Amino acid sequence: MNDEMLAFRLQQGDKTAINALAERHYDALLGYLYRLMDADRALAEDVLQETFLRVMRNIGLYTYPRPFKAWLYAIATNLARNHYKSGYVRLTQSIDDEIGGDESLDADLLSREAAREVREVLGGLPPQQREVIILAYYQAMRSQEIGEILDIPAGTVRSRLSIGIARVRALMKEKSE
Amino acid sequence: MNLNDFEGGNEVGDFLRRWENPTPNADAKARLMAALAAETNGQTTKAQSFRVSKGSLWLLLTAQIRFVHPATWIASLLAMLCGVLVTLTLHDGGTPFFVWVAPIVTALGIAFLYGDDTGEVLEIQLATPISPRVLMLGRLALIFAFDLCLAVLASVILALAQSEISLVPLILSWFVPMTFLSGLAFALSMWLFDPLASVFVSLSLWGLFVARSTVASPLWDVTGLPNFLAVEMYPFILALAAVTVAAGWWLAGREGWILHG
């Protein structure tokens, strides 16, 4: 059963549908929010939980058979943005906590260091470009889908993506120098 | 979207790839499920009103495409193509071979839209408040429209390639039986829910029509069977088509209790 049918069933009172939707989208949405929230895992999990609760409370606003995934990610993005705007205090959580394993393993250390570099580069982007790059690359979404999530035209998505990638490349070059 | 679409995308893609996905935390997931369970327990069970978005009928129609087996589209395309090629190669006056092909291709495509192998999907769809009649007619319209476009295109090609073939009479000669056979296949499928039975009846009837139209036999005089493919029979055949579609429409409304009863 596809997402739209599950969302429709949820709308009709089938409470088990939200569990199926949560199971299906949990991992990917966590990855998205985790990167969006600057590797703050606890916050990403909180926002993720709030996202699904909002889906349940506002399921009446969903219009079948529009793509459910775009609606879900739009809710998640808006909740994440609320945190940016509120100027939440970033935890100085080390990315070491996220990429697990024995600290003594060199491969693990390299992996953490590489992830930290990427995080810093993405952190150097404006939120609008960061959102688009994360959705395009890590979530493998197309311009139109991203546009639906962020409520912007597909052309604007491509423009932000292009500028964002150029900025990433410039930041990569700065780091290598 | 792929970052390789952009210049230098590979370099950026390789860089971004270094930040791996976080490993989902089982406890966090369990907390989410518990929160959802608490939320559902707190909510009333009243179903929310069904919201239909603007253009939803179009979306519903296009959503039916996924329930049509890809082989249906390909088979229609290939069959129509064969009809065109045979006509171009062997036509020497008389009724173009394509006229015999187009109607039955559509009817067969429609016959295979409904059946036991589509039952699970159908059951899911019937669980929605969208009328089963709308769903069934939607599928019928999809296949019919697709085959109609193919047949019109084929007719244009034949009319251009063969000077003795006129476009409008050619189109009429397959369009009229196509509508009847499609309606019949639809009604039979809604009644029997067995595509093979629907195919058998449609093919048999079409075979009889073609034989009556092309083969001279005293049998026709004895039985009094009219030539249903004659031009003067077109209004009658179109009326029959309307009756069969209406019958299928009525039968589709019963589908819910057929499956659930």
Side-chain angles (χ1 to χ4, degrees):
Chain A
M1 195 177 300
N2 62 22
D3 288 348
E4 289 71 36
M5 196 63 72
L6 283 170
F8 179 77
R9 285 206 167 198
L10 181 62
Q11 229 173 28
Q12 296 304 301
D14 180 0
K15 297 170 186 176
T16 62
I18 189 62
N19 296 339
L21 287 167
E23 283 286 349
R24 194 176 286 183
H25 291 284
Y26 184 91
D27 292 357
L29 196 55
L30 177 65
Y32 171 58
L33 288 170
Y34 174 74
R35 291 185 175 93
L36 212 56
M37 312 306 290
D38 199 33
D40 188 334
R41 188 183 185 111
L43 189 58
E45 286 169 353
D46 285 347
V47 172
L48 192 152
Q49 181 170 306
E50 184 60 27
T51 299
F52 280 107
L53 288 172
R54 290 278 179 108
V55 164
M56 284 195 64
R57 290 168 191 156
N58 297 299
I59 194 63
L61 298 177
Y62 169 72
T63 51
Y64 179 87
R66 295 237 176 253
F68 172 79
K69 189 175 175 184
W71 190 60
L72 175 71
Y73 274 74
I75 294 173
T77 304
N78 288 331
L79 285 171
R81 283 175 179 171
N82 290 343
H83 284 279
Y84 306 155
K85 289 175 187 169
S86 68
Y88 76 97
V89 175
R90 286 186 189 172
L91 298 175
T92 53
Q93 177 180 352
S94 169
I95 204 164
D96 293 347
D97 294 338
E98 296 312 320
I99 301 170
D102 189 339
E103 287 185 5
S104 64
L105 289 174
D106 289 342
D108 206 26
L109 277 170
L110 282 173
S111 176
R112 280 187 230 132
E113 188 53 37
R116 190 199 316 278
E117 281 186 9
V118 177
R119 176 189 165 194
E120 286 173 358
V121 164
L122 286 180
L125 298 176
Q128 293 173 334
Q129 291 168 20
R130 187 166 64 244
E131 287 167 359
V132 168
I133 286 183
I134 292 172
L135 285 169
Y137 181 73
Y138 294 105
Q139 307 303 315
M141 290 187 182
R142 296 186 166 276
S143 300
Q144 188 166 356
E145 195 172 10
I146 296 173
E148 284 183 26
I149 292 169
L150 302 180
D151 197 23
I152 53 177
T156 306
V157 171
R158 285 189 285 272
S159 157
R160 288 184 187 176
L161 194 56
S162 183
I163 296 170
I165 289 172
R167 180 77 185 131
V168 166
R169 205 177 299 123
L171 289 170
M172 282 166 61
K173 193 175 175 185
E174 273 178 32
K175 282 193 169 298
S176 64
E177 284 168 358
Chain B
M1 177 171 299
N2 191 325
L3 285 175
N4 293 331
D5 294 340
F6 298 91
E7 191 184 334
N10 283 334
E11 173 196 17
V12 172
D14 289 342
F15 176 73
L16 293 176
R17 201 173 290 123
R18 295 185 211 171
W19 194 3
E20 295 171 358
N21 282 328
T23 308
N25 183 312
D27 289 342
K29 205 169 186 178
R31 282 197 298 275
L32 168 65
M33 294 307 182
L36 292 176
E39 185 72 19
T40 56
N41 289 336
Q43 279 185 355
T44 63
T45 55
K46 189 174 76 170
Q48 310 225 9
S49 60
F50 172 62
R51 285 180 57 132
V52 178
S53 60
K54 212 181 273 190
S56 62
L57 280 180
W58 172 253
L59 285 171
L60 285 168
L61 195 65
T62 52
Q64 292 301 303
I65 292 175
R66 79 181 76 172
F67 299 120
V68 178
H69 199 285
T72 303
W73 310 113
I74 297 168
S76 288
L77 182 64
L78 288 176
M80 296 282 192
L81 185 62
C82 284
V84 169
L85 290 174
V86 169
T87 305
L88 287 174
T89 310
L90 300 176
H91 182 66
D92 58 356
T95 306
F97 178 75
F98 182 77
V99 170
W100 311 131
V101 167
I104 198 61
V105 165
T106 308
L108 295 185
I110 288 167
F112 279 105
L113 280 181
Y114 318 98
D116 288 340
D117 58 334
T118 61
E120 280 183 20
V121 166
L122 190 56
E123 189 161 357
I124 289 167
Q125 291 201 304
L126 290 175
T128 74
I130 304 163
S131 163
R133 288 176 168 143
V134 172
L135 291 173
M136 300 302 172
L137 268 189
R139 290 194 198 176
L140 169 67
L142 267 178
I143 294 290
F144 189 82
F146 179 73
D147 288 339
L148 181 65
C149 290
L150 282 181
V152 168
L153 180 63
S155 299
V156 169
I157 292 170
L158 289 172
L160 289 173
Q162 304 267 356
S163 57
E164 65 272 23
I165 296 178
S166 299
L167 181 62
V168 173
L170 173 63
I171 289 177
L172 277 177
S173 60
W174 55 253
F175 177 74
V176 173
M178 182 190 274
T179 55
F180 168 66
L181 284 178
S182 300
L184 179 67
F186 175 56
L188 286 172
S189 294
M190 290 301 98
W191 177 33
L192 302 170
F193 217 63
D194 182 346
L196 290 180
S198 177
V199 165
F200 176 77
V201 173
S202 299
L203 271 175
S204 300
L205 203 58
W206 184 237
L208 184 63
F209 281 13
V210 172
R212 176 62 183 90
S213 178
T214 56
V215 176
S217 167
L219 185 64
W220 313 133
D221 295 326
V222 169
T223 58
L225 188 69
N227 179 4
F228 288 104
L229 299 184
V231 174
E232 55 269 24
M233 295 295 286
Y234 284 177
F236 175 68
I237 297 295
L238 285 173
L240 263 185
V243 167
T244 52
V245 172
W249 168 266
W250 178 76
L251 287 165
R254 300 160 60 236
E255 200 57 56
W257 67 260
I258 288 174
L259 281 182
H260 299 293

